[in-house]
Amino acid sequence: MNHKFLQIHPQDNVLVALTDLRAGEVIEFEGKKITLKDSVPAKHKFVLTEIEQGGYVYMYGSVVGKSVTPLVSGSVLTTANVKHEANSFSEKTETTGWTLPDFSRFERRTFKGYHRSDGQVGTANYWVVIPLVFCENRNVEVIKQAFVDELGFGKPNRFKSLVQQMADLYKTGKKEQIETLQVEEFVEVSASKIFKNIDGIKFLTHQGGCGGIRQDSDMLCALLAGYINNPNVAGATVLSLGCQNAQPAILKEKLNAINPNLDKPIILLEQQKEGTESNLLSQAIKQTFLAMAEADQQERQDAPLSKLTIGLECGGSDGFSGISANPAVGHVSDLIVALGGKSILSEFPELCGVEQELINRCVDNTIAKKFSKLMVDYAASAEAVGSGFDMNPSPGNIKDGLITDAMKSSGAAKKGGTSPVVDVLDYAEYATKPGLNLLCTPGNDVESTTAMAGSGANIILFTTGLGTPTGNPVTPVIKISSNTKLAERMPDIIDVNTGAVISGEKTIPQMGEEMLEHIIKVASGEIKSKAQLLDQDDFIPWKRGVSL
């Protein structure tokens, strides 16, 4: 790889700057000399051959934009001279072949997980406390305050210590010393846990369950059912008010649809039946404690890597994400699929422009048609409120080189590797088929990771170029940096750095295999992801309105 610029695909008419390039600098590419008309920041793109006004911009071999003005060779792409444009798609026209990666290194490898009676294996063992309606959020918080520290799951708050020091200085007339105080480095404390085999008790508060349309409540119940069925969950305490739209009967119906033979302990209490709040909470706390004591009897045991279900996510993406982190994750996805496991690719607004490729990778026409319909309906709902997929890139994405949704999507789709698409899931549907699954979610980071855990992901790989602390309550989220500068600047949130791909020190397969080794350690409980260490438990259900 040339370490100053890169052509991603032979058909591309733009090059990617791998380092900052100066206006006037002469670039030589395949015997042709190009004088840069503008300074090109690293991660941004500049024109290889002239593009007429209205002409297409190609990256990854796909259309990612249309020129607003004539673009001369050596000019940088910006939001002022390029607008969103994407490849169209139609019915399945062919079946894309697949060459399996060399997975021999991992064929006999195992991880230590929690085996469930339905055959799923958890990478963690959590108890969850769930409100069916936002009215119960306060009661959930009271249970949290009662349990977390007493069970040994709490952590010291180093910022509370900082405030105490500041208060002492202020009271003693030494306010001028406050600026010199240092925050202690985060150190994980090995607390004395009551339950040795329970990784934590998690509290999934939300703002739904009533007051909206009935479809939202049904969808919320389906999502919560997925969380209860997730192999990382030992059991659940569910609080209901009684009069809300999200009724316990709907939750039970959704659970039965996912897993008719579910035998996990579920404690369901209704406040309007229990009477006083004190009675509700005391019953919830006592029953939960006894159920957790039973769940604590289960221990980690060896499981094949085919029992992994990997969620594939990106957020805070940059111009390097589609070159380093996402393809490396794609290689991991292909390895997991080759080993008999599952992977889940979501964020439908970020598959704009690569639909035909994914359609052709679908194993049959029924699955392909479902994907097409979900994409068309989603795009139409966005346009109906005056938005569209073209508005998906954030200011941070644009600043760091992703100036159109198609450009962002072409790189984001690389997380799905090259394996066949075995199933297409609507939001809150559960992944059951080994192989690559497409899951309809927004591109919003937390709404998407929330959905993947609800569809059975027991590990989530999350690529980022700008940095984001996103995590999940029940599924370990492994954060992957697209560039070394980010990994060095924000080491508290980054687990794996793929910047070595940009510098040419490692190949995509090498990086993917290194990543899978890290996954095995997290899945076995040997190490925790940075999001777990930070207790980053983000949970946002999608209300199925327009969210990009």
Side-chain angles (χ1 to χ4, degrees):
M1 180 189 293
N2 183 301
H3 300 309
K4 296 185 72 172
F5 58 87
L6 170 70
Q7 184 185 45
I8 299 174
H9 189 278
Q11 294 181 8
D12 294 354
N13 54 7
V14 296
L15 301 177
V16 183
L18 301 180
T19 187
D20 293 341
L21 302 175
R22 294 174 286 102
E25 190 171 345
V26 177
I27 297 298
E28 186 169 342
F29 178 74
E30 294 185 345
K32 179 181 179 181
K33 292 185 177 181
I34 303 167
T35 301
L36 297 181
K37 302 298 186 290
D38 314 282
S39 291
V40 186
K43 309 178 186 179
H44 284 258
K45 292 81 187 171
F46 59 95
V47 177
L48 175 59
T49 58
E50 293 187 6
I51 303 174
E52 63 184 15
Q53 184 173 351
Y56 292 132
V57 176
Y58 289 89
M59 275 184 63
Y60 302 96
S62 299
V63 175
V64 298
K66 180 184 284 189
S67 64
V68 175
T69 62
L71 297 173
V72 299
S73 176
S75 56
V76 66
L77 300 187
T78 69
T79 54
N81 59 29
V82 173
K83 66 178 182 178
H84 170 78
E85 186 74 20
N87 288 323
S88 60
F89 60 96
S90 59
E91 295 183 359
K92 183 176 170 68
T93 57
E94 59 180 277
T95 298
T96 304
W98 183 46
T99 302
L100 274 71
D102 179 5
F103 59 94
S104 57
R105 173 178 167 182
F106 299 96
E107 196 167 8
R108 300 184 187 280
R109 297 288 298 280
T110 60
F111 71 97
K112 289 190 176 296
Y114 293 95
H115 292 247
R116 309 302 181 187
S117 62
D118 60 3
Q120 296 187 99
V121 179
T123 62
N125 200 31
Y126 289 115
W127 191 274
V128 295
V129 181
I130 299 173
L132 279 180
V133 62
F134 58 82
C135 307
E136 292 299 319
N137 282 349
R138 178 185 171 278
N139 288 330
V140 170
E141 289 295 334
V142 172
I143 296 173
K144 181 177 182 179
Q145 292 167 14
F147 266 132
V148 173
D149 287 337
E150 294 303 318
L151 296 184
F153 296 123
K155 296 177 182 177
N157 187 330
R158 56 197 172 125
F159 298 104
K160 182 176 180 180
S161 175
L162 174 63
V163 173
Q164 288 172 342
Q165 293 179 67
M166 291 191 296
D168 290 341
L169 289 173
Y170 181 78
K171 286 187 290 186
T172 55
K174 301 175 182 178
K175 186 173 67 173
E176 68 282 356
Q177 296 182 25
I178 289 176
E179 286 291 343
T180 64
L181 290 176
Q182 299 292 317
V183 179
E184 298 175 5
E185 285 298 316
F186 174 78
V187 178
E188 186 181 14
V189 177
S190 180
S192 178
K193 294 198 304 182
I194 300 298
F195 301 127
K196 303 300 183 184
N197 296 315
I198 300 288
D199 291 300
I201 179 168
K202 299 295 184 175
F203 305 86
L204 278 58
T205 55
H206 56 81
Q207 302 304 313
C210 202
I213 58 175
R214 297 300 169 91
Q215 290 91 330
D216 283 340
S217 296
D218 286 357
M219 198 67 72
L220 175 64
C221 286
L223 178 70
L224 296 179
Y227 269 74
I228 294 171
N229 193 63
N230 188 293
N232 293 355
V233 172
T237 299
V238 182
L239 298 188
S240 168
L241 177 60
C243 56
Q244 74 277 350
N245 287 343
Q247 284 289 303
I250 302 174
L251 177 65
K252 292 176 182 177
E253 174 191 323
K254 301 298 184 184
L255 277 168
N256 187 63
I258 292 174
N259 190 347
N261 300 314
L262 183 71
D263 61 357
K264 291 182 182 179
I266 301 173
I267 299 163
L268 178 57
L269 295 170
E270 193 166 288
Q271 185 171 0
Q272 290 170 349
K273 288 182 179 178
E274 295 295 330
T276 67
E277 186 178 274
S278 177
N279 190 49
L280 170 76
L281 291 171
S282 61
Q283 287 295 320
I285 290 170
K286 287 187 291 185
Q287 292 184 42
T288 298
F289 185 92
L290 293 172
M292 289 178 70
E294 287 297 314
D296 188 49
Q297 302 307 305
Q298 191 166 10
E299 298 181 351
R300 290 183 182 269
Q301 297 177 352
D302 287 341
L305 300 187
S306 60
K307 294 298 183 179
L308 291 175
T309 300
I310 308 292
L312 312 171
E313 179 70 25
C314 58
S317 299
D318 71 349
F320 285 165
S321 292
I323 303 171
S324 57
N326 291 348
V329 165
H331 188 69
V332 173
S333 176
D334 285 346
L335 287 171
I336 293 296
V337 170
L339 290 162
K342 306 182 194 77
S343 63
I344 302 174
L345 180 64
S346 58
E347 302 178 288
F348 273 26
E350 295 179 13
L351 300 179
C352 178
V354 296
E355 295 97 337
Q356 192 65 53
E357 175 199 335
L358 292 169
I359 287 169
N360 291 340
R361 285 167 60 184
C362 288
V363 295
D364 60 47
N365 284 324
T366 301
I367 294 171
K369 287 178 180 178
K370 183 176 182 181
F371 174 61
S372 295
K373 186 176 189 313
L374 286 170
M375 287 295 290
V376 169
D377 290 349
Y378 197 161
S381 67
E383 291 166 5
V385 293
S387 187
F389 288 171
D390 61 302
M391 299 182 72
N392 176 266
S394 70
N397 296 148
I398 294 168
K399 178 177 176 292
D400 271 51
L402 300 176
I403 62 174
T404 72
D405 184 55
M407 188 180 292
K408 183 179 180 182
S409 296
S410 295
K414 297 298 179 184
K415 301 191 303 294
T418 59
S419 66
V421 175
V422 298
D423 207 358
V424 173
L425 310 171
D426 201 353
Y427 181 77
E429 289 186 325
Y430 207 82
T432 59
K433 296 180 181 179
L436 175 63
N437 295 258
L438 304 182
L439 172 64
C440 184
T441 76
N444 176 281
D445 303 349
V446 178
E447 287 176 310
S448 181
T449 53
T450 296
M452 286 193 290
S455 290
N458 56 10
I459 288 283
I460 293 174
L461 303 181
F462 191 120
T463 68
T464 182
L466 305 176
T468 170
T470 302
N472 183 267
V474 305
T475 300
V477 176
I478 297 173
K479 213 67 58 57
I480 299 146
S481 169
S482 72
N483 63 90
T484 299
K485 286 184 178 179
L486 169 61
E488 293 174 345
R489 188 174 67 253
M490 303 180 77
D492 58 329
I493 68 167
I494 297 300
D495 298 280
V496 179
N497 173 28
T498 64
V501 173
I502 299 298
S503 63
E505 299 168 77
K506 292 181 182 178
T507 65
I508 293 295
Q510 287 173 336
M511 200 71 249
E513 291 190 2
E514 183 178 312
M515 201 181 301
L516 185 48
E517 292 286 358
H518 190 91
I519 291 168
I520 293 170
K521 291 180 181 178
V522 174
S524 300
E526 293 178 24
I527 60 174
K528 291 184 177 181
S529 72
K530 298 295 179 64
Q532 287 177 294
L533 291 174
L534 291 171
D535 286 329
Q536 191 77 36
D537 293 339
D538 300 313
F539 179 79
I540 303 179
W542 185 24
K543 290 185 68 175
R544 207 50 188 260
V546 176
S547 179
L548 298 175

